[in-house]
Each structure stands twice: as C-alpha cells, then as structure tokens.
Amino acid sequence: MADAALAPSAATARTPSPLRKALRSPATVVGLALVALHLFLALFAPLIAPYSISAIVAEGLTPPSAAHWLGSDQIGRDYLSRLMSGGRVALLVSGLGVAVAVALGAALGLVAGYAGGWLDDAVMRVTDALMAIPEIVLIAILVLTFGKDLAALSIIVAVVYTPGVVRVVRARTISLAALDYVLAAELRGETRAHVLFREIAPNLSGLLAVELAIRVSSAVLKISALSFLGLGVSQPTPDWGLMVQEAMSVVFTDPWFLILPAAALSSLIIGVNFAVDGLARAYGVSATEA
Amino acid sequence: MRHEAPRTRAHVETAGLTVTYRDGLGGERAAVRAVDLALARGATLGVVGESGSGKSTLARCLLGHLRPGARVSGGHVRVGDVAPFDLDSRALRAFRGARAAMVPQNPLSSLTPHMTVGAQLGELLRRHARLRGRAARARALELMAETDLPDPASLHDRYPHELSGGQRQRIVIAAALAARPELIVLDEPTTALDKTVESHVLDLVARLQAELSATLVYVSHDLNVVARMCSRIMVMRDGAVVEEGDAAALLRRPRTGYAEALIAAMPRLAPERAPSPATPAGPPVVSARGLRFTHRSPAGLFGRGAVGRPALDGVDFDLARGETLGVVGESGSGKSTLAALVCGALTGGAGSLRLDGRPLAGLARSRPADQRRRIQMIFQDPLASLNPSQTVVDIVARPARLYFGATAAQARAEAARLLAALDVPAETMNRGPRHLSGGQQQRVAIARALAARPDVLLCDEITSALDATVQAQAIALLRRIQSEHGLAILFISHDLALVASIAHRLLVLEGGVARDHGPTRETLLTPGSAYTARLIAAFRRNATAMPSSAVLADENRTKKMLSSGH
C-alpha cells in the first residue's frame, strides 16, 4: 500500500515534441509559412521568375496583363519578377552580417560575463560606446568608409549588431554562471574552457537562435531603409527599399508600386516575428530580452 | 471535539468542488477533485499534502481566486452567505478584504516595495474600515502592536526590505486582520522563516484566531505545524481528499496508507533515537581549527570595501570516516559559509582546514585534483545543480572521465551502475534532468558525487526542496551509502529534527559562533548553551502536538515503507 502511495506520480509522463506544440498555434503556422516562402524566393526567384530582372520587356508603367501579372515598372521591366527578387540582397547581407554578429557577440559576451573584472569592463565599455552612436549615423559613417558592395554591407551589419548580442549573451552568462551546476563544475576542477563551452554555452543555444532570427529580420528592415536613402543597394539590382524609393514619384497615380514592395517587406518581418514567438514559447526560450 | 453543530449551517462549505486547468496540450487536468468541506464558525482545519496535491488551489478557491487558465468545472464554494465565485469583481474585492483574508507564503512578494508598511496598512484601512489620516495611523499602530511587532511607531515608516522575514510576515498578518475577517486562509505562512521565528508566528496566529473567533484554514506540507495549529486535518493527494478527521485521531490512527506514510516521514526531535557516535572514530579526515571568514562588501570607487561582522568566527570541528557531523543553525548562522570554505567555493578564510592532515588551499582551483576529488558537494536545489543541456548519464559519467581518465564508454557504464544502485529508473538515463521528479534529481546529484569515489560528502540543505516522504527516502539513502562506502558526511540543515535523525555529532552555530558541539544525543538532552536550548524548545513545541504512539511506531513504518518502495 505504502509503496504505491509513494511512487512519483506523472514524473515521467510523455509530452509531445515542442515543434508539434508550436504548430497548434495558427500565428506560428502563418509565420513559418511566410518565412519558408521568403527563403524559397530568395533562393530560387531567378529560376522561377517569368522574366529577367533587368530585361526591358514592355512599355513603361503598363497595367497588369496576362503576360505581366503586375504590369511593368517605369522603364518597362516586369514588375512581378523584380518583386520576387527584391529581398535577396537584403536577406543575404543581413544573414551573413548577423551570423558574424551572433558568433562574435556570443564569444565576447560569454568571456566577458564569465571572466568579469577588467576584461568585462573593457568589452562592455567598447560596446557601450558603439551603442551610444545612433544606428543610422553609425551606418552612414561606415558606408561612406567601406563603400556599399555586398561584403562591405555585411561587415556593416556585423558591426552594428554585435554590441546588442554581446549584452544579451553577457547578461545570460552571468545568470547561468551563478547556478549550482556551474559551481559544481568549478569545484570538480574543470578548466575554464570546459565550464564556458560545455556547461554554459549549450544553454545559450535557444537564446542565440532567437537572437539570430529576430536580428536578421531587423537587419533586412535596416538595409531596406538604407537602400531607400540611397546608401544601400543600387540599380539595377531589385530591392524593396529601392523600389519604394522609385515609387515615390508615382505614388499618387500608381500607389501599388509603393504598396507591393512595402507589403513584401512587412510580410517577411511579420513572418519571422510570429515564427520566433511561437517557437520560442514552445521550446521555453525567453525572447523578452532579445 | 465536534465542530459542526447539528442543524446549523456550516460557516465555510464546499460541495463537490472540482477545479480544472488547461495543460497546454489542449486537454484539461483536475487540480481539485470533488472536494466536500464543512467548517463551523471558529473551526481550525489543516490541509496537508505534498507538492501538486491541490491544497493551495483549494485554499485559494475559498477566497474566490483561481490561477490563470483554471476554472471551477463543478461544485460550489460558500463562505457565510456568500458564494465567492458568483460575485462580480467589485463585490469580490470587498469580500476578500473584509470577510476573508489570506496570508501567503512569501511575505516579501506580497508587500509593495516602494510603500512604507504603514502606508500599506493605511490603504487597507481606508478601503475596508473607512479610516483616514490620524485615525488610520492609530489603528495601524494598534494592529502592529497586536502582532507583537516591536516599536510600531518606528516600524510604521519603514519599507518592507528594511524589515526581517519574521517582521514582514507579521505585517502581512496585521494586514490580513485589518478588517477583522471571519475566515483566515494561511498558505504555508512560515515556510520561509527560521524555526524559532516560526514558533512565535504560529503562537500569534493561534491567539488572534481565538480572539476573532475566525474560521482558520491552514495549508502546509508540515504535519508538525498543522498538528499544533488545527483541530481537524484533511490530507490531499492528486487533488482529492484522501482522509479527513479530528487531528489527534488522524495522527494516532491514520486510516489510509498514504496518511500513514506522511506521518511516518515527518522528522521528529527524539534524542533517544539519534544515532550513537560512530564507534571506532579513527583519525579525522577533515579537521578545522579556528575557522574564520568575513564577507567583504564590494570595493567602492574610493578605497576598499567595508569589513562587517565575521560570518564565521573561530569554529573548530573534526570529521572522521564513517561519521556524520550535523551542522545546525538559522539563516545567517554561517553554516553555508562553512560548507563553501570546506568545498573551496570561497577564499580568504582564516584558521586551518586540513584533509587527512594536509592543508587545504582556499579555492578548489588551487587544490590538487586528488583533494578536489575526495571532497564532493551535494546542493540544496537538485535541479539547479544539474545541467539541463546534458543527459542524466553524461552528468554522472563526467567525474570518472575527469578524475580517473576513463573512456567515454567506461564512464557511462560506471554511471549506469551507480544510477541503478541508487534506484534511478534506467529509462530516464538518456533524458535531461528536467524530466525527473525532485527525488530522482537529488539521487542523480548524489550519484554524480559518488562517481568521484569521495571520502567526504558535503550536504548543504539537500532535502529542503523535497517533499517529506521523499526527504525520508533521501536520508535513508545517505545512511546506506555511508555504511557501504565508509564516507564522512557533513550534513548542514536548519532543521534540527532532521539533522538529529542522521548526525552522530552536532555542531550548533549562531551568528558564526559554535554554541554547542558534541554527540547528538547528549547535546539534545543537555544542551550546553541557552541558544541550543531555545532551538530545541522551538522544535519540541511542534512535536508535542504529535501523539507519542505515532512516534514509537513510525520507525518501523519508515523501514517498511522504504523497503517496499524499491
């Protein structure tokens, strides 16, 4: 009797996988679908688009037709084909830049948070200094310094996003380092590298995944803003920010030239945010400090 | 003693009360299942059960409160002539302040940090007693005096963080009683308090309950406390009532195996049952002489940090193989500092600390690997001490790889053997520690310590996060390990009754100073200091509520329960 009474109840109950749990929420499904669509287009748009992005195939500003579903732009290029490719450069540059930012930021944040002392002070003061400069001013200065080819833009994204990642990772490292399993490893006499990369770092993976996704979507927005200002992607490469800027001259006669690229950009940002929210909740990662 | 007078309607009543909550998988789980309850005005009911038994959910229902995601899916609640769940939010607020009051577990989180305690009492008095200005202040001071707070006039204008834990809990009690409620619900109100403080708070609650002739519902996992406070006891498990009845009768003759197991698992202060000193004590493995440690506040911009009162002030002890030294003290007594110095988590202590006659360096990092291996620590919170990103078997395998250069396969095989020996189910080995129960987690932590083949085991409050029955199993496990491996154990706890049941010798600390040091039985029977006597008295006062027959019978029950458990 007593043994049955004392058996741990439901401690080892089977739970469904987090992914399955996440897919129960419609917002998450919509988000994942949008992200998948944008990734697919970014990879394969040139192969499936009806026309080349630079070929002049019609008169300027023709209305939608069977041959050109969204009509043509000011100089007669197929608008649908350009819209499909409009996120490629921004996504590529953001993806590369943020990947570097997350890798570098994670390494610096881990070391600063765990070592503390002068090393922490040094890393954090440089980060603070970078974060004190308004982003758009920092970007403008960097563009004027490094130019605006793909590599330069990627480096700029990396420079702008690293400080934020350093802060988030450092804060999480400090709270993780205070846990008893880290103390247990230190008391066992594990090396600092083991403590950092075997005990602490694996517990940052969820946080880093959230950081990566959220910051890529924010970087895409920033690159588009740069292109709009003429500091980012330049003709003839199609880019949503640039397309919005081109649409400014015809905004009262042909407003869809403004609405379509803006909607494409928004759908990517919204998609990433929905997907990250849903996945982070299902996997139990807090996205609040991101 | 009967509380329900015939033909009189009960004061507090639930009938078929069922509360369910969404479990995040689209399904619903019952937290409270068809609970019937009837209490006469002025009755005292203790609700006991382990974590997850639904006792807190039931208690909150009496105030018409549900956690988010929960709903009443059957039955009803009535307090006097009020059904709390039928009230709109305004009426419910009025009901909660004026007629029913709750004293929660953590007094700090139920007080607003940016308001003085006087202002918070004033707010309640304004709302429920329509008192303002000078009248409100006078009444607040009166309430504070009623709860035995020293110097109410000066405490009135302080902030919650400036008060001690016991003082805060008294303020919360004063607030609960501000409007003279007819129902007082207490949810583990003394769990966060030291034993001597707990004792005072319990006396206070009993006195005020009698004065107001309020109906009292006291939720706790601690049968000793409930036995002292309540005339009726209700035992809950998995949301259902297992057993309910007169407190004395239930404790003396529990009708169900579950209640019996709960009673048997309660640590009770019984000097005659304390382990006798390990016979051939031999030379000490660990010996400390004049151990001193002072926390230094962080250095400011100018100059070095201020030096306060020492956390540990000249403590001596010896610990021999096969022996358990129990270190007892209340919060701030220096017992955790002692553990941190021995295991090498703190540096800067003075005095001598030796392992087998050889001096131990301050930080673990600066000790030889062999010394680190021979002293292993088990922590208070088992979940926090196990890395969630690693599997159970990898956690336990690590020391063998680190200390003995075992291959991955050897280390895992050794880990599996250890886990099996400690009754951790084989199917949990490749899971993360989060998927285990609290008791299993602590077994994994013990297995990891044993994997280093230590000579000394440091146990710092290792059972305080566990339910009573699981706690009893953990203690039995430690005893078994000690007899199998001849380990020296330093067992640290605030719970004197628990320490006395396992330690051969006792070290009583107060404010960093050793007040008593000697064989457990003698120390309990003839304490050498007024402080120890007071500590013993605080535990005795609870224990006297327990019938002696239960005390005599429970050793056998514990044995039976533990052997049939595996």
Side-chain angles (χ1 to χ4, degrees), chain B residues 473-531:
Chain B
Q473 291 171 349
I475 296 298
L477 179 64
L478 273 185
R479 280 212 200 90
R480 197 185 94 201
I481 293 167
Q482 182 168 47
S483 65
E484 282 169 12
H485 302 264
L487 287 171
I489 298 180
L490 192 67
F491 191 91
I492 296 170
S493 175
H494 67 282
D495 189 339
L496 180 62
L498 181 70
V499 173
S501 71
I502 184 170
H504 303 104
R505 287 188 303 121
L506 275 185
L507 174 64
V508 181
L509 291 179
E510 187 206 9
V513 182
R515 292 295 179 207
D516 253 301
H517 186 188
T520 306
R521 200 170 299 180
E522 278 82 278
T523 308
L524 292 179
L525 292 174
T526 52
S529 73
Y531 176 75

Side-chain angles (χ1 to χ4, degrees), chain B residues 66 94 101 149 263 270 278 300 325 352:
Chain B
L66 288 172
L149 279 162
I263 293 166
L325 174 65
S352 99

Side-chain angles (χ1 to χ4, degrees), chain A residues 5-6 11 181 188 190 199 203, chain B residues 237 384 387 398 403 435 561:
Chain A
L6 290 170
Y181 63 79
R188 272 203 307 273
E190 302 283 6
E199 303 285 344
N203 293 297
Chain B
R237 184 177 197 221
N387 194 329
R398 182 65 199 166
Y403 294 126
H435 298 285
M561 172 181 94

Side-chain angles (χ1 to χ4, degrees), chain B residues 421-434:
Chain B
L422 299 190
D423 302 308
V424 178
E427 66 268 19
T428 61
M429 288 210 298
N430 291 312
R431 293 197 193 159
R434 275 171 211 278

Side-chain angles (χ1 to χ4, degrees), chain B residues 3-4 12-14 35-48 55 58-59 62 183-187 209 214-220 225-236 241 243-247 250:
Chain B
H3 286 277
E4 299 98 314
V12 175
E13 181 186 82
T14 71
V35 170
D36 298 324
L37 181 73
L39 292 173
R41 176 81 194 239
T44 51
L45 174 77
V47 184
V48 294
K55 56 189 194 298
L58 173 68
L62 299 180
L183 168 65
I184 309 173
V185 177
L186 300 107
D187 190 358
Q209 183 266 338
T215 308
L216 183 90
V217 175
Y218 195 106
V219 175
S220 180
V225 168
V226 167
R228 173 171 161 191
M229 295 296 293
C230 304
S231 55
R232 292 185 73 75
I233 292 183
M234 187 163 119
V235 181
M236 289 185 74
V241 177
E243 191 168 341
E244 200 229 331
D246 179 72
L250 190 146

Side-chain angles (χ1 to χ4, degrees), chain A residues 78-169:
Chain A
D78 181 61
Y79 198 74
L80 176 63
S81 303
R82 289 184 66 77
L83 190 68
M84 283 166 74
S85 289
R88 296 187 79 203
V89 172
L91 260 177
L92 178 67
V93 166
S94 305
L96 281 175
V98 172
V100 171
V102 167
L104 194 64
L108 286 171
L110 263 172
V111 171
Y114 184 61
W118 66 267
L119 197 57
D120 186 30
D121 284 341
V123 171
M124 290 322 287
R125 292 303 80 79
V126 173
T127 332
D128 287 347
L130 276 173
M131 291 182 87
I133 308 171
E135 257 176 34
I136 209 76
V137 174
L138 179 61
I139 293 171
I141 294 169
L142 291 171
V143 169
L144 295 175
T145 317
F146 294 110
K148 48 184 192 174
D149 57 278
L150 287 188
L153 283 176
S154 304
I155 292 172
I156 291 167
V157 169
V159 171
V160 171
Y161 282 92
T162 301
V165 179
V166 172
R167 291 195 142 218
V168 173
V169 171

Side-chain angles (χ1 to χ4, degrees), chain B residues 6-60:
Chain B
R7 285 153 180 275
T8 322
R9 242 164 50 121
H11 176 229
V12 175
E13 181 186 82
T14 71
L17 182 68
T18 300
V19 177
T20 54
Y21 63 93
R22 290 190 298 276
D23 59 3
L25 307 174
E28 281 201 296
R29 269 178 60 96
V32 172
R33 299 166 205 267
V35 170
D36 298 324
L37 181 73
L39 292 173
R41 176 81 194 239
T44 51
L45 174 77
V47 184
V48 294
E50 308 199 315
S51 31
S53 62
K55 56 189 194 298
S56 287
T57 310
L58 173 68
R60 280 153 191 265

